[in-house]
Amino acid sequence: MSKKINLTIDGINVSVDPGTTILDAARKLNIHIPTLCYHEDLCVAGNCRVCVVEQENSRTLPASCATPAAEGMVIHTNSGKVRVARKHIVELLLSEHNADCTKCYKNGNCELQSLASQMLTGDHMFLDLVPDKHYTIDMFNSAIVKDDSRCIRCQRCVRTCEELQSVSALSVAYRGNNMKISTFFEHPLFEVVCTNCGQCVNRCPTGALIERNYVDQVWDAIYDPAKHVVVQTAPAVRIALGEALGMPPGMIVTGKMVTSLKRLGFDAVLDTDFTADLTIIEEGYELVERLKRALVDKDPEVALPMATSCSPAWIKFLEHTYPDLLPNLSTCKSPQQMFGALVKTYYAQKKKLDPKNLVSVSIMPCTAKKFEADRPEMRSSGYKDVDYVLTTRELAIMITQAGMEFDKLPESHFDNIMGMSTGAAVIFGTTGGVMEAAIRTVYEVVTGREVPFESLNITPVRGTEGEVREASLLITGTKPEFKFLEGVELKCVVANGLAYAKKVMQNVKDGNANYHFIEIMACPGGCLGGGGQPIPTNKEIRAKRTQAIYEEDLGMPLRKSHDNPEVQELYRDFLIKPLGHKSHELLHTHYTPRKRY
Amino acid sequence: MSESKLKRVDLIFGEYSNTKYKVLADTLKRRNEDILEDLMESGLKGRGGAGFPTAMKWKLAADAPSDTKYVICNADEGEPGTFKDREILSRVPRKVFSGMAICGKVIGAQKGYIYLRSEYKFLLPELTRELEMFHEHIGKMGFDFPIEIKLGSGAYICGEESALFESMEGFRGEPRNKPPYPTTHGFMGKPTVINNVETFVNVVMIMRLGPVQFKLLGTTDSRGSKVFSVSGDTPIPGIYELELGMPLDRFVEEFGDGDTKAVQVGGASGFCVPRKKFKDTIIGFEGVPTGGSMMLFNSSRSMYNVLHNYLDFFEEESCGQCTPCRVGCQQLRKGIVAVKKGDKKAGYLDQLLKLSESMKITAKCGLGQSVANSFSSIVNNFKEEMIY
């Protein structure tokens, strides 16, 4: 333990570890210095200067987020000098910003706006620079709208894209008065390497980067008496939605969410978890099939390791970055798209509905799902399989619009069919979850026994943020038809965040990896940290959501995908068997190699 | 007239030594502590404008624990009205290389770089030739110290040391947060000494003449001489090496055209001194410091135009990352235009002066911090020209 550093902040003495910033030291004392460009998940930029403080015997006011505490420092966070400077800075930001708040999607959830109200701005200290700027809006993308007129150039998005996702679709262009956040040659987002992950959207302090919202379209569908509107909800929504409606992080609100959706007027409230279970069956069999081709048939064409395919940002990332590794992706559609394809076929049949009158809506923790639903290959029902994708945030808007007091809602159950699920599906929402769910099923299919882990908790694959987690499982005592897997050590790897995905795939590409199965989630922490989740999202909040997901899993009566009776029924009545003809038609897909530029 | 002439100095451009690279060869034989002690004794301060004591900078880098260290010569001479480094590099490049090598020895660096502004590309062939010879000579002295030239791409901000590192590393030229400082985390994150071209030459001359003789020039706070780039309304523009610590009125007497109303000392980021203050202004670290730029303006010049021109420059040359500099520069320029046009009342200038003070204490780097120098000195001294 190295020596503590002693300093004084606003007259209070505090001791901190070396390397602690003034900002963090102040937070220890419950003194909250305002920030804008600072974000817990990202490296320090120190460029907005909102967090400046006064340091005795210093000519300048240091940015507290970027300045490490030093022995004997005397800091004032709220001196006259600081207040004037801080107000100047916020006024400057406002002068460059299209502060048309009532027309902004982020009205009410904007960090600049709350700072402005805190500083009592509004006396028009400086000239309005906006009319002279030729700001552009990029709204040609399925998922993300980028409005430069609302940008305050804090570069959170740039750092997110580069550090967390290693995508670098967004970067800084030009300098001085013309400095802006842009893309490769200023192409619209849909023409560049952007994966639509929405991590930038989640971190944008203003309305410069927002999801393309479909709230009104969904209301229209609900109001249309000719339409039967079906909604599915992703696993990670039920543990985060409460946050967007005034509840603390980590609350499981599944029952309230279902009630709210019913009250919003959806004709059927179903569950993406159902198709998450289905994904496990299809993907599990696909893995076993690939292993058989490799081990028994010695087929040189078989692509191993096999990688999960439920994260659409991850898929687009691979299409751009490692197009030659696309055969390694499981051909399974994501649970959202399996659901969409089944709603307009199987569900319509069972419920005796004309698929043309069906509107399928999904609630996702994700922005990339909007892009996924718009992919041309996602029309295997003969219609657009998923018509509208709403983020967790958009659902919260609808609930608020409808005047519901969310935390006081009673709980209710999903409708059927396609509303039943297991704990294995719930954990799709966290990193390592698909891997764990798949192993629970594959191991049992192959050996006839449950996985050898207490309470089915396969903790070795439970990934954490900021690491690539490797694990292996020895398969013994196989059933006769799976004899080829006897003694095989199944090697798995789990990564979350595209920067870590890149590390794994580079290893695979270089031939340095002997994995069988790879799980990748594009967002830090998995879907629970998705780009469509409530703002703010940070490490602490993600940890609480993770805890909630595992709690929800443990509380489910069924915890293995193949035990889902509705899935069993689906195979019996409709699909016949895993990887069968119908499955290939509806549940599997192909991918598109894309260029880097 | 002739007796009032300022003393010309011939230190920078003067003879290096009778035999090639003799000062370097002799210095390389000395102990690092002795070299540092001489530098300390000489009182040499950085010649880029900020005036950080050179010996202290070198000591900090020498004490920084690392196997890899760098010496960088900042030849990104971009301050408006400064053109002395170009002259130094074309006339006495060997002194520059020698100074860098001495620094390399003292701090334990393996490599030196010259960051040359792209507009000086024409110097490259000659410098490359000279470098080849230098490498040959230093090789014979048994000291391995390669120097490489890196070209800038035309951004003023890349003269700021940490932006310069970023540029050299292949990134956008944006200043870093400080601390940490270059002496511990510089180029490639390694301890680095970065000095102005002229500073390295001064080092060589201190090594040659000894600190005692060096100290005969200048004043207590501003030791030695300085190469000045004299421009503007003067009959004799050009490069002059003069003692530091001279009063501005004597300078104007010699270089002015008889009608000098103001001198901009230190370029666009420096201070504007009006006629009435010439007598009380000392050019040096105790008065108005300068990286060498001296621009004279006579009464035909509109100080409003001068200021507008500077602000135009800053508005464009700001890297754009920090709020006070990026938006502040735009507000200051548009603000004076608005006052001039009558769109804003004269009192708005006070608002802008306060803003410039905020920029001075909150901007991330020296660029944004120094905009207030010219802004407040011009606005305060020539207010009527701003309004009418």
Side-chain angles (χ1 to χ4, degrees):
Chain A
M1 194 67 202
S2 39
K3 215 170 156 270
K4 289 267 186 188
I5 286 175
N6 304 295
L7 68 159
T8 311
I9 300 178
D10 294 345
I12 311 167
N13 296 326
V14 59
S15 294
V16 294
D17 291 327
T20 308
T21 60
I22 297 172
L23 180 73
D24 287 336
R27 285 189 179 178
K28 260 184 88 170
L29 299 173
N30 297 320
I31 298 170
H32 288 268
I33 301 169
T35 55
L36 259 184
C37 69
Y38 174 83
H39 193 284
E40 292 88 339
D41 290 341
L42 305 172
C43 85
V44 166
N47 59 27
C48 77
R49 314 307 281 179
V50 165
C51 71
V52 289
V53 291
E54 188 170 348
Q55 179 189 346
E56 281 187 15
N57 302 318
S58 167
R59 184 179 58 83
T60 55
L61 306 183
S64 59
C65 72
T67 310
E71 186 63 37
M73 251 183 187
V74 180
I75 299 291
H76 303 282
T77 69
N78 194 34
S79 67
K81 221 171 165 181
V82 168
R83 288 170 57 86
V84 170
R86 219 176 257 163
K87 183 158 181 177
H88 273 149
I89 289 165
V90 175
E91 290 276 4
L92 287 178
L93 286 170
L94 289 170
S95 76
E96 216 187 16
H97 173 84
N98 172 9
D100 207 350
C101 294
T102 53
K103 291 181 182 163
C104 180
Y105 184 63
K106 290 287 282 293
N107 190 9
N109 188 10
C110 167
E111 292 179 46
L112 181 63
Q113 196 182 43
S114 28
L115 211 52
S117 83
Q118 216 182 84
M119 303 266 159
L120 299 176
T121 58
D123 35 7
H124 300 288
M125 208 175 242
F126 301 120
L127 299 167
D128 183 7
L129 301 175
V130 178
D132 292 342
K133 305 247 173 197
H134 301 283
Y135 287 129
T136 49
I137 304 182
D138 176 359
M139 48 185 177
F140 305 110
N141 179 296
S142 311
I144 296 169
V145 178
K146 176 170 171 281
D147 179 352
D148 288 348
S149 77
R150 313 229 184 245
C151 173
I152 55 165
R153 292 128 178 108
C154 67
Q155 300 189 36
R156 275 192 195 171
C157 55
V158 174
R159 283 175 283 152
T160 300
C161 204
E162 184 184 325
E163 290 167 25
L164 300 181
Q165 303 298 63
S166 71
V167 170
S168 293
L170 294 172
S171 58
V172 179
Y174 307 104
R175 63 173 195 241
N177 47 357
N178 294 319
M179 186 267 215
K180 64 190 264 191
I181 310 305
S182 192
T183 52
F184 185 69
F185 275 94
E186 298 194 63
H187 287 310
L189 280 171
F190 79 91
E191 281 183 6
V192 297
V193 292
C194 172
T195 66
N196 304 300
C197 73
Q199 287 298 312
C200 57
V201 172
N202 204 296
R203 284 177 188 77
C204 180
T206 67
L209 283 160
I210 54 171
E211 68 263 33
R212 185 157 168 187
N213 88 78
Y214 295 88
V215 170
D216 285 340
Q217 287 89 329
V218 172
W219 278 126
D220 286 347
I222 289 173
Y223 294 144
D224 186 342
K227 301 288 185 199
H228 181 91
V229 188
V230 168
V231 65
Q232 54 165 317
T233 61
V237 176
R238 67 204 62 188
I239 46 94
L241 176 64
E243 290 167 39
L245 294 160
M247 294 166 79
M251 304 288 283
I252 303 169
V253 294
T254 320
K256 291 181 193 298
M257 174 184 75
V258 174
T259 307
S260 70
L261 288 164
K262 288 184 175 174
R263 291 196 185 175
L264 287 176
F266 286 101
D267 296 297
V269 180
L270 307 177
D271 202 355
T272 314
D273 285 17
F274 166 78
T275 35
D277 280 331
L278 180 61
T279 301
I280 287 302
I281 310 287
E282 291 288 326
E283 202 163 284
Y285 274 91
E286 187 186 358
L287 176 65
V288 171
E289 173 72 20
R290 287 196 193 201
L291 288 170
K292 180 164 176 275
R293 275 171 63 199
L295 298 171
V296 181
D297 310 340
K298 309 280 183 213
D299 180 353
E301 300 282 296
V302 64
L304 278 173
M306 186 179 89
T308 58
S309 56
C310 18
S311 170
W314 146 240
I315 286 172
K316 189 153 185 277
F317 176 79
L318 200 69
E319 287 176 334
H320 281 296
T321 317
Y322 298 103
D324 42 330
L325 294 179
L326 285 175
N328 292 70
L329 269 184
S330 159
T331 59
C332 288
K333 285 181 185 171
S334 72
Q336 165 179 278
Q337 292 307 137
M338 284 196 182
F339 195 98
L342 288 175
V343 152
K344 296 198 179 177
T345 52
Y346 171 66
Y347 178 86
Q349 250 177 49
K350 282 257 173 182
K351 298 280 175 184
K352 303 196 171 45
L353 292 162
D354 185 346
K356 98 171 173 288
N357 293 328
L358 264 171
V359 176
S360 115
V361 177
S362 74
I363 314 290
M364 294 285 141
C366 183
T367 49
K369 290 279 174 196
K370 292 173 188 270
F371 169 82
E372 184 186 41
D374 282 353
R375 278 179 177 254
E377 55 270 31
M378 297 303 172
R379 293 171 164 270
S380 41
S381 63
Y383 302 88
K384 194 175 178 225
D385 292 339
V386 176
D387 293 289
Y388 302 111
V389 178
L390 303 183
T391 60
T392 311
R393 297 187 291 264
E394 287 166 86
L395 174 59
I397 291 172
M398 291 183 75
I399 293 170
T400 313
Q401 285 177 340
M404 282 180 243
E405 265 188 76
F406 187 76
D407 57 339
K408 302 208 173 68
L409 288 180
E411 309 209 338
S412 48
H413 293 293
F414 285 104
D415 296 319
N416 61 50
I417 50 176
M418 296 172 65
M420 195 174 258
S421 66
T422 71
V426 171
I427 55 176
F428 263 60
T430 176
T431 172
V434 176
M435 179 65 71
E436 179 165 352
I439 293 177
R440 283 183 196 171
T441 288
V442 167
Y443 191 88
E444 196 165 321
V445 165
V446 169
T447 66
R449 305 186 311 273
E450 277 194 345
V451 280
F453 289 93
E454 199 192 328
S455 315
L456 301 175
N457 292 338
I458 310 178
T459 45
V461 299
R462 292 194 175 172
T464 48
E465 279 180 39
E467 67 157 29
V468 170
R469 174 153 288 207
E470 295 179 348
S472 63
L473 178 66
L474 188 67
I475 302 177
T476 52
T478 49
K479 290 202 238 169
E481 63 267 41
F482 297 109
K483 210 75 206 153
F484 60 94
L485 287 173
E486 183 65 36
V488 168
E489 195 181 4
L490 189 69
K491 292 205 168 72
C492 313
V493 61
V494 170
N496 62 98
L498 290 174
Y500 290 93
K502 195 174 184 177
K503 283 185 188 168
V504 171
M505 297 322 282
Q506 190 58 46
N507 267 337
V508 171
K509 193 184 159 101
D510 295 344
N512 297 331
N514 57 348
Y515 309 124
H516 297 111
F517 195 23
I518 300 175
E519 184 211 282
I520 305 278
M521 293 296 155
C523 293
C527 303
L528 57 88
Q533 290 286 58
I535 299 170
T537 294
N538 57 38
K539 203 168 180 179
E540 198 186 322
I541 293 174
R542 284 191 297 270
K544 290 194 174 138
R545 293 180 191 160
T546 308
Q547 214 182 339
I549 282 217
Y550 285 122
E551 238 173 78
E552 175 89 336
D553 167 31
L554 265 178
M556 298 289 278
L558 299 172
R559 303 204 33 235
K560 296 173 293 191
S561 297
H562 53 278
D563 289 349
N564 184 331
E566 280 196 349
V567 171
Q568 290 165 353
E569 185 189 334
L570 170 71
Y571 276 110
R572 196 181 58 232
D573 298 354
F574 188 71
L575 292 174
I576 313 303
K577 62 169 187 174
L579 306 183
H581 174 69
K582 264 247 147 59
S583 290
H584 274 293
E585 198 181 298
L586 295 174
L587 309 181
H588 291 256
T589 185
H590 59 273
Y591 306 104
T592 319
R594 293 170 203 264
K595 294 210 176 89
R596 192 84 183 105
Y597 302 106
Chain B
M1 180 79 188
S2 63
E3 58 263 49
S4 75
K5 258 199 155 189
L6 286 167
K7 191 167 97 189
R8 299 291 198 272
V9 186
D10 211 10
L11 202 66
I12 301 295
F13 295 112
E15 196 191 27
Y16 178 7
S17 54
N18 29 21
T19 53
K20 252 186 196 168
Y21 286 112
K22 185 165 184 315
V23 178
L24 175 60
D26 290 348
T27 310
L28 289 181
K29 287 179 201 141
R30 300 183 63 194
R31 291 174 1 150
N32 290 344
E33 304 85 88
D34 297 342
I35 298 173
L36 273 177
E37 198 165 305
D38 274 7
L39 273 187
M40 191 75 83
E41 178 62 27
S42 75
L44 176 65
K45 288 179 183 171
R47 293 300 194 236
F52 193 81
T54 306
M56 200 195 287
K57 189 185 271 186
W58 287 22
K59 176 99 176 47
L60 287 169
D63 291 345
S66 174
D67 294 336
T68 314
K69 296 182 186 180
Y70 297 101
V71 175
I72 293 172
C73 171
N74 187 346
D76 191 50
E77 184 173 44
E79 192 59 49
T82 317
F83 39 88
K84 47 111 187 159
D85 291 342
R86 177 177 67 189
E87 194 75 2
I88 295 172
L89 281 168
S90 43
R91 283 171 58 187
V92 290
R94 290 171 204 174
K95 288 187 185 174
V96 180
F97 306 154
S98 302
M100 292 174 70
I102 293 168
C103 178
K105 169 185 157 56
V106 170
I107 69 165
Q110 293 76 28
K111 189 155 187 192
Y113 288 95
I114 298 173
Y115 187 87
L116 188 66
R117 80 179 291 210
S118 65
E119 289 85 342
Y120 290 174
K121 208 184 274 174
F122 66 91
L123 292 173
L124 208 51
E126 184 55 30
L127 281 176
T128 312
R129 242 189 322 275
E130 279 289 341
L131 262 183
E132 266 170 42
M133 281 199 304
F134 164 78
H135 286 138
E136 216 170 281
H137 274 90
I138 198 163
K140 282 184 207 149
M141 296 170 202
F143 184 56
D144 184 26
F145 191 74
I147 293 177
E148 196 184 307
I149 300 175
K150 289 234 179 194
L151 275 180
S153 302
Y156 172 71
I157 188 60
C158 290
E160 196 279 341
E161 52 193 21
S162 60
L164 186 149
F165 300 147
E166 290 286 310
S167 162
M168 277 180 64
E169 291 174 20
F171 301 107
R172 256 179 85 83
E174 288 185 344
R176 300 172 179 169
N177 289 305
K178 294 178 206 166
Y181 295 98
T183 44
T184 54
H185 297 75
F187 177 54
M188 306 299 283
K190 300 294 179 192
T192 303
V193 161
I194 175 163
N195 277 136
N196 179 260
V197 176
E198 194 181 342
T199 313
F200 285 120
V201 177
N202 270 293
V203 168
V204 173
M205 295 324 281
I206 291 165
M207 291 302 119
R208 177 170 176 199
L209 304 169
V212 177
Q213 204 178 334
F214 181 82
K215 270 166 52 179
L216 293 178
L217 296 168
T219 57
T220 321
D221 288 329
S222 310
R223 297 291 188 197
S225 65
K226 177 92 194 71
V227 181
F228 289 94
S229 315
V230 182
S231 66
D233 295 317
T234 166
I236 46 167
I239 305 271
Y240 297 90
E241 186 174 352
L242 304 166
E243 255 188 285
L244 274 171
M246 64 182 164
L248 189 57
D249 58 342
R250 296 217 27 222
F251 175 87
V252 172
E253 218 168 278
E254 189 158 341
F255 292 94
D257 61 359
D259 182 29
T260 307
K261 87 165 168 189
V263 179
Q264 180 75 19
V265 182
S269 63
F271 295 87
C272 182
V273 184
R275 185 183 291 145
K276 59 177 187 255
K277 292 182 187 162
F278 286 168
K279 225 163 92 74
D280 309 319
T281 304
I282 301 290
I283 304 304
F285 299 111
E286 65 269 60
V288 183
T290 171
S293 167
M294 302 292 280
M295 281 185 270
L296 294 93
F297 300 109
N298 68 21
S299 59
S300 74
R301 305 292 165 186
S302 150
M303 295 316 286
Y304 168 83
N305 284 347
V306 169
L307 179 59
H308 190 276
N309 183 297
Y310 290 161
L311 292 173
D312 229 3
F313 173 80
F314 285 129
E315 198 180 339
E316 204 176 294
E317 292 295 341
S318 159
C319 77
Q321 68 166 322
C322 87
T323 314
C325 182
R326 180 187 70 248
V327 198
C329 290
Q330 297 174 58
Q331 287 292 355
L332 293 183
R333 187 186 62 79
K334 295 205 173 198
I336 63 165
V337 172
V339 170
K340 191 79 171 176
K341 278 167 63 182
D343 293 345
K344 283 273 183 191
K345 296 220 170 77
Y348 189 59
L349 288 174
D350 297 328
Q351 194 105 315
L352 295 179
L353 282 167
K354 282 185 202 147
L355 170 62
S356 75
E357 279 312 302
S358 283
M359 290 166 67
K360 191 174 200 156
I361 54 175
T362 61
K364 188 166 178 176
C365 81
L367 196 165
Q369 289 169 10
S370 58
V371 174
N373 296 347
S374 52
F375 186 84
S376 64
S377 60
I378 294 177
V379 170
N380 281 325
N381 290 311
F382 300 94
K383 205 163 235 167
E384 66 293 344
E385 288 192 43
M386 298 299 124
I387 303 167
Y388 305 107

